[in-house]
Amino acid sequence: MNTATTTGSSSYDTWFRRYWPRPGARRRIVVFPHGGGSASFYRTLAKRVLATAEPLIVQYPGREDRLEEPHITDMAELARRISDAILPALDRDVVLFGHSMGAAVAHEVALRLETVHGVRPAMLCASGRPAPRHHKPGSKHLDDQTLWDELSRLGATPSLLLGNAQVRRVVLPTLRADYRLVERYRPRLDAVLSCPVAACVGDRDPEVTPEESEAWAETSRSGFSFRLFQGDHFYFRGQEDDLATWLLSTADREAA
């Protein structure tokens, strides 16, 4: 991996949650949450990579400990700020793992790292997200009830919380901002990464078909790996060990 000029640690600490710091780890796994998601949702998955890697989880503005910060609804701006902030982590191999909206963000960050900063990630893994060629613009962010119904349909939020009016008031602005970001996003179909790419999806995902996930192979001039898991859009819940093992072994194989 090329050496990059680093930015201040304050930006790094703002954007990434290190629940279990492992400064001596040979690799970092950077997790990009789904739309409406936050860093804490991925604690269980992140903990599973501790044997060989240090997990970093992106914390987007407008949620949890960044609740008072304005949401970012432009993909280019979000990717620019994250890629600038991540530079201090690039003193070792970095695998970017994004789920759903997070896969699109991770892809844009990987592209920016390669084209702007001259840094090649060790691997990009796109989970639960169609490849850029199959991107589906929409307008769900315009309607509150449609957005709330999405939470129920995709199964990310317990039904008890879905019926809580206070939770709805807190969550809706973030959900709307994230849907606005991804629905207005237009990926560059001719952009190809030099790093390896992997993709994975649940076999009952209502948002993504296996074929749409496998099309991520088009985004890399290097290696490609694919895994079909059992489950829905959030297939990895309860299968964190399996996903982490596959992710780490795939990164090892691509690095060999």
Side-chain angles (χ1 to χ4, degrees):
M1 176 176 291
N2 296 332
T3 301
T5 303
T6 63
T7 58
S9 61
S10 60
S11 179
Y12 180 77
D13 292 337
T14 296
W15 281 94
F16 304 102
R17 298 295 162 266
R18 292 186 295 169
Y19 296 116
W20 302 280
R22 290 202 64 214
R26 63 185 176 88
R27 172 187 293 146
R28 290 189 170 106
I29 306 293
V30 184
V31 178
F32 294 74
H34 59 280
S38 55
S40 65
F41 187 89
Y42 291 85
R43 283 176 62 104
T44 302
L45 173 60
K47 193 173 184 179
R48 298 302 192 270
V49 307
L50 288 174
T52 61
E54 179 183 49
L56 305 177
I57 312 177
V58 177
Q59 186 76 293
Y60 308 126
R63 60 213 78 199
E64 292 188 334
D65 55 339
R66 301 187 71 184
L67 186 62
E68 300 304 317
E69 298 181 46
H71 299 94
I72 297 176
T73 58
D74 177 74
M75 181 68 81
E77 174 67 9
L78 183 60
R80 181 188 68 79
R81 292 181 62 181
I82 295 175
S83 61
D84 288 350
I86 204 174
L87 296 180
L90 303 179
D91 58 343
R92 65 202 68 183
D93 285 350
V94 169
V95 172
L96 308 180
F97 172 87
H99 181 67
S100 197
M101 180 193 86
V105 180
H107 181 221
E108 290 296 325
V109 168
L111 288 169
R112 187 173 176 84
L113 288 177
E114 290 195 354
T115 61
V116 176
H117 297 291
V119 177
R120 181 181 186 266
M123 189 176 75
L124 166 70
C125 182
S127 167
R129 178 81 190 162
R133 177 164 59 88
H134 296 288
H135 175 66
K136 306 177 182 77
S139 57
K140 292 175 183 176
H141 69 276
L142 299 175
D143 178 73
D144 284 359
Q145 191 56 50
T146 300
L147 282 173
W148 207 241
D149 290 344
E150 280 292 286
L151 287 184
S152 177
R153 186 175 72 89
L154 295 177
T157 306
S159 56
L160 183 63
L161 293 180
L162 287 172
N164 187 303
Q166 183 176 357
V167 170
R168 178 172 173 139
R169 283 194 299 272
V170 172
V171 171
L172 266 178
T174 294
L175 196 63
R176 183 182 299 106
D178 288 352
Y179 267 80
R180 180 184 295 119
L181 180 149
V182 78
E183 289 181 344
R184 292 179 174 177
Y185 167 56
R186 298 296 181 269
R188 294 165 286 176
L189 301 184
D190 60 343
V192 180
L193 290 163
S194 65
C195 72
V197 171
C200 49
V201 68
D203 60 0
R204 300 188 304 278
D205 192 323
E207 295 288 289
V208 193
T209 67
E211 293 75 19
E212 290 171 338
S213 180
E214 285 190 274
W216 277 98
E218 303 167 358
T219 66
S220 173
R221 65 175 63 97
S222 190
F224 177 73
S225 301
F226 175 74
R227 171 75 185 271
L228 184 65
F229 286 86
Q230 292 185 341
D232 57 16
H233 190 59
F234 290 93
Y235 65 88
F236 52 83
R237 290 183 302 177
Q239 300 187 86
E240 287 89 354
D241 283 331
D242 196 8
L243 174 56
T245 298
W246 175 77
L247 182 64
L248 292 169
S249 63
T250 301
D252 284 339
R253 185 172 64 251
E254 295 295 348

